[in-house]
């Protein structure tokens, strides 16, 4: 009896003892994984699947991309499915603004004379000069017309992921491998789970994360997506036949930047109207929309996206990773930026230990494009550390983070507008109370503890005011309102710093916990 099994983890085969668990596979493969995120398991099927294969992963010396075959039968489609292994190790022959070509190789192709019209990212065979011994694999990069010597049927497939690799290919590059990808829809049975004790069986495929390549055309949209996945996860709030969506930042209005088809694997944002701020990942091809801006593309892990169910969280890695300097010391920032070859210019308090409170440019894509960033630092004594109670005041948390900027950055700004006796009153610069609800929640019962942060709710005229007291109070909340009009949202961890501030000062606050369970 065989005491070993073979499984795939994110496309890499590993050998494990029989009875091994999902956790064993993750550890043995050193796969990207984070506790609480869901992992997809594609079960082994005894049914022969080759005739149903429609996706192929093409590995090149410059990276990999994936093609999907058109469903319509054609001689080119048949030629690919029967002979794709023969196209390994063929070099890049030429590259232009419109297309690239790998070859040459010998085929039995009958070519059509005359120019053809080709759409972006289509894949086709072509016999240059009508010579079947001079056949090439052509990949269109943009919509154009050309006389390649293609067959009557034209293209037989399209690129569905890894499109950015096409721009990186050069004369010295070549195809080094082609691998068919079995769709979970063909194999049928799959499991998505957070249970690392799940027993694996021979032949199963495990997917632990998805990788998103951010679009250089969407610098602001990319920051919206980075903020959405700041804890590392895409939270699946809705699943439809053509997408999954995360509603974490609904109500935040990302700009419209990139008009592009919502192709399978594309990540896009709703920019206006009902549901603005939602993030989507396409599981099917859809046309471009004036309501949705494309910000990236899933390069790896679409299998996990297809398996996703509402309520699950999916681990996400991105290229490039986010460059967010807020809250870091200049010394830490310079170490991080050195990895990207980016120069840091210091402003404000320029000491190594000073903490950064702003950066210019403000987006990752622009920073990488310019190769330099200006950052402003302040002494740590001017930054308050706060702990927020997400579980007891979720509606007020949405208002508070939006109003002071914590939805998108680790550091927020709270102007100090009033001081009296043992009370400090703040008013956020962004008037979020005009369009965000502040319903009564987590209101004090007997007394308010010194250091607790309160927000005036909709039961009082001064809704949206933020306050804190330096002494316990059994009559009024941190903003001076009655208990019923006060929502307790967290606490300041270093109250002694408040004595250094005066009315009119901008106070920076840094959130020390993101998902803790606290409250009265």
């Amino acid at each position: 009896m065989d005491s070993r099994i073979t499984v795939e983890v994110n496309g890499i085969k590993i050998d494990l003892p029989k009875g091994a668990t999902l956790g064993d596979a993750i550890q043995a493969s050193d796969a990207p994984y984070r506790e609480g995120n869901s992992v997809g398991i594609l079960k082994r099927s005894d049914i022969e699947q080759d005739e149903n294969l429609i996706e192929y992963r093409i590995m090149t010396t410059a990276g990999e991309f994936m093609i999907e075959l058109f469903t319509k039968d054609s001689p080119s489609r048949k030629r690919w499915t029967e002979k794709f292994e023969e196209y390994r190790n063929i070099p890049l022959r030429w590259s232009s603004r419109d297309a690239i070509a790998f070859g040459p190789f010998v085929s039995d192709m009958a070519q059509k004379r005359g120019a053809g019209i080709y759409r972006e990212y289509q894949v086709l065979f072509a016999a240059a000069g009508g010579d079947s011994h001079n056949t090439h694999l052509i990949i269109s990069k943009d919509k154009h017309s050309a006389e390649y010597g293609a067959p009557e049927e034209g293209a037989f497939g399209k690129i569905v992921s890894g499109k950015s690799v096409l721009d990186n290919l050069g004369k010295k590059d070549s195809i080094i491998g082609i691998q068919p990808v079995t769709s979970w829809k063909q194999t049928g049975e799959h499991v998505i789970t957070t249970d690392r004790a799940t027993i694996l069986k021979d032949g199963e495929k495990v997917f632990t994360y998805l990788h998103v390549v951010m679009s250089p055309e969407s610098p602001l949209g990319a920051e919206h997506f980075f903020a959405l996945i700041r804890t590392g996860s895409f939270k699946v709030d809705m699943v439809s036949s053509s997408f999954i969506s995360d509603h974490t930042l609904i109500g935040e209005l990302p700009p419209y930047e990139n008009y592009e088809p919502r192709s399978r694997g594309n990540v896009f944002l709703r920019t206006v109207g009902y549901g603005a701020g939602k993030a989507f990942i396409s599981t099917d091809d859809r046309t471009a929309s004036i309501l949705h801006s494309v910000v990236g593309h899933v390069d790896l892990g679409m299998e996990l996206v297809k398996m996703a169910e509402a309520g699950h969280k999916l681990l996400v890695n991105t290229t490039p990773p986010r460059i967010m300097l807020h809250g870091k010391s200049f010394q830490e920032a310079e170490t991080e930026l050195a990895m990207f070859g980016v120069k840091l210019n210091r402003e404000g308090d320029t000491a190594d230990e000073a903490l950064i409170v702003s950066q210019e440019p403000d987006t990752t894509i622009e920073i990488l494009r310019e190769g330099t960033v200006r950052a402003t630092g302040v002494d740590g004594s001017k930054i308050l550390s706060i702990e927020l109670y997400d579980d007891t005041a979720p509606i007020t948390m949405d208002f508070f983070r939006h109003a002071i900027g914590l939805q998108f950055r680790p550091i927020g700004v709270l102007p100090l507008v009033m001081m009296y006796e043992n009370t400090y009153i703040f008013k956020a610069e962004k008037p979020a109370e005009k369009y965000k609800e502040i319903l009564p929640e987590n209101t004090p019962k007997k007394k308010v503890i010194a250091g607790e942060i309160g927000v005036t709710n909709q039961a009082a005229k001064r809704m949206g005011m933020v306050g804190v007291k330096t002494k316990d109070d059994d009559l009024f909340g941190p903003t001076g309102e009655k208990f019923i009009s006060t929502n307790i949202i967290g606490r300041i961890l270093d109250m002694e710093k408040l004595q250094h501030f005066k009315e009119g000062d901008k106070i920076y606050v840094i959130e020390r916990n993101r998902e803790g369970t606290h409250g009265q």
Side-chain angles (χ1 to χ4, degrees):
M1 175 177 277
D2 193 354
S3 61
R4 309 290 294 181
I5 63 171
T6 299
V7 300
E8 279 189 21
V9 182
N10 299 320
I12 300 173
K13 288 187 177 181
I14 60 171
D15 188 52
L16 294 169
K18 191 172 184 179
T21 65
L22 177 58
D24 295 330
I26 292 172
Q27 183 176 9
S29 62
D30 195 25
Y33 173 77
R34 182 172 296 175
E35 188 71 34
N37 287 278
S38 297
V39 175
I41 304 173
L42 184 61
K43 298 293 185 178
R44 185 178 184 179
S45 172
D46 294 328
I47 301 173
E48 182 62 44
Q49 296 297 326
D50 286 351
E51 70 275 12
N52 292 321
L53 291 172
I54 62 170
E55 294 181 345
Y56 292 79
R57 183 173 288 118
I58 300 179
M59 287 78 79
T60 76
T61 48
E64 63 181 54
F65 55 89
M66 190 178 294
I67 70 169
E68 182 179 280
L69 306 186
F70 293 152
T71 55
K72 183 179 179 180
D73 287 331
S74 69
S76 291
R77 189 183 193 277
K78 183 179 180 182
R79 183 178 298 108
W80 173 268
T81 57
E82 292 179 350
K83 299 185 177 183
F84 71 88
E85 292 185 347
E86 297 179 9
Y87 308 135
R88 294 189 176 104
N89 301 316
I90 59 174
L92 182 79
R93 182 64 179 276
W94 55 260
S95 175
S96 71
R97 181 176 62 85
D98 294 324
I100 60 175
F102 290 97
F105 50 88
V106 178
S107 75
D108 58 355
M109 191 184 76
Q111 58 99 20
K112 173 190 173 185
R113 294 190 180 277
I117 297 176
Y118 306 101
R119 299 186 64 83
E120 58 185 4
Y121 303 121
Q122 286 187 336
V123 183
L124 59 141
F125 290 116
D131 182 2
S132 62
H133 287 74
N134 196 26
T135 303
H136 291 77
L137 180 68
I138 306 285
I139 300 174
S140 174
K141 295 163 66 177
D142 203 353
K143 185 178 180 180
H144 68 286
S145 175
E147 187 173 350
Y148 291 130
E152 181 74 31
E153 67 271 13
F156 65 87
K158 62 182 178 180
I159 304 289
V160 292
S161 70
K163 297 172 183 175
S164 61
V165 172
L166 303 183
D167 293 326
N168 298 329
L169 289 164
K171 290 183 179 180
K172 295 182 179 181
D173 290 310
S174 61
I175 294 175
I176 56 177
I178 301 176
Q179 182 181 64
V181 179
T182 305
S183 168
W184 68 270
K185 289 183 177 178
Q186 271 101 50
T187 59
E189 186 182 359
H190 67 278
V191 171
I192 185 164
T193 181
T194 58
D195 185 5
R196 287 186 295 174
T198 302
I199 302 296
L200 296 178
K201 296 181 180 179
D202 188 55
E204 292 182 340
K205 298 180 180 181
V206 175
F207 304 93
T208 67
Y209 78 111
L210 51 129
H211 179 260
V212 177
V213 179
M214 307 310 300
S215 170
E217 306 302 321
S218 305
L220 294 172
E223 293 304 314
H224 185 98
F225 187 73
F226 288 143
L228 181 93
I229 61 166
R230 63 187 295 175
T231 60
S233 305
F234 186 96
K235 180 169 62 71
V236 183
D237 290 307
M238 182 178 177
V239 176
S240 82
S241 60
S242 60
F243 64 78
I244 64 173
S245 60
D246 183 328
H247 304 173
T248 298
L249 293 182
I250 188 170
E252 304 287 350
L253 303 180
Y256 193 97
E257 296 173 297
N258 192 17
Y259 184 79
E260 185 179 322
R262 293 167 291 166
S263 304
R264 175 184 175 275
N266 270 0
V267 180
F268 59 94
L269 308 175
R270 174 97 183 193
T271 60
V272 294
Y274 177 76
K278 291 181 181 178
F280 302 81
I281 300 176
S282 288
T283 54
D284 199 359
D285 290 340
R286 290 291 184 269
T287 59
S289 164
I290 60 173
L291 306 177
H292 300 98
S293 183
V294 174
V295 301
H297 187 85
V298 176
D299 207 37
L300 295 171
M302 274 304 294
E303 298 89 346
L304 182 57
V305 174
K306 290 180 180 179
M307 296 182 199
E309 301 171 359
H312 288 265
K313 294 192 298 183
L314 310 181
L315 180 64
V316 181
N317 289 344
T318 67
T319 297
R322 190 184 198 187
I323 298 178
M324 176 54 65
L325 306 180
H326 294 67
K328 296 176 180 177
S329 70
F330 275 122
Q331 192 169 37
E332 291 171 328
E334 285 190 332
T335 300
E336 177 182 337
L337 292 173
M339 296 186 294
F340 299 99
V342 173
K343 180 182 178 182
L344 174 64
N345 294 319
R346 304 186 185 192
E347 296 183 355
D349 187 331
T350 59
D352 281 349
E353 63 275 11
L355 300 181
I356 295 171
V357 294
S358 68
Q359 63 186 50
E360 180 63 35
D362 200 34
T363 72
T364 300
I365 289 171
E366 290 173 310
I367 289 172
L368 294 175
R369 185 180 295 154
E370 295 184 14
T372 184
V373 58
R374 298 193 314 275
T376 301
V378 301
D379 187 84
S381 64
K382 296 183 178 180
I383 299 179
L384 296 180
S385 297
I386 62 173
E387 183 180 42
L388 298 177
Y389 303 159
D390 284 276
D391 57 337
T392 57
I395 296 174
T396 319
M397 284 294 90
D398 181 49
F399 156 79
F400 183 73
R401 287 199 178 99
H402 178 92
I404 74 169
L406 283 177
Q407 289 283 44
F408 291 92
R409 298 172 184 83
I411 284 188
V413 181
L414 260 182
L416 179 60
V417 297
M418 187 184 304
M419 299 166 54
Y420 64 91
E421 297 179 355
N422 64 337
T423 304
Y424 288 75
I425 304 293
F426 310 89
K427 182 71 172 69
E429 294 176 325
K430 184 182 291 187
E433 67 277 0
K434 293 181 179 179
Y435 48 90
K436 291 282 187 180
E437 289 188 321
I438 316 176
L439 300 174
E441 59 179 352
N442 200 36
T443 56
K445 300 300 184 290
K446 296 181 180 179
K447 70 176 179 178
V448 168
I449 306 300
E452 286 188 326
I453 304 168
V455 174
T456 301
N457 62 41
Q458 293 171 199
K461 291 182 180 180
R462 297 195 306 158
M463 62 178 288
M465 301 300 290
V466 180
V468 64
K469 287 182 176 291
T470 58
K471 295 181 180 179
D472 295 355
D473 196 321
D474 56 8
L475 292 177
F476 297 101
T479 60
E481 301 285 354
K482 297 178 181 178
F483 282 1
I484 192 62
S485 300
T486 304
N487 296 350
I488 301 299
I489 64 167
R491 66 190 180 103
I492 294 176
L493 301 177
D494 39 19
M495 283 290 290
E496 69 280 358
K497 291 182 180 180
L498 275 178
Q499 61 182 314
H500 303 302
F501 298 104
K502 61 183 184 300
E503 291 183 4
D505 283 350
K506 276 188 177 180
I507 297 180
Y508 298 99
V509 297
I510 186 167
E511 188 176 353
R512 293 303 184 189
N513 75 314
R514 188 66 173 100
E515 297 180 320
T517 301
H518 303 281
Q520 302 193 128

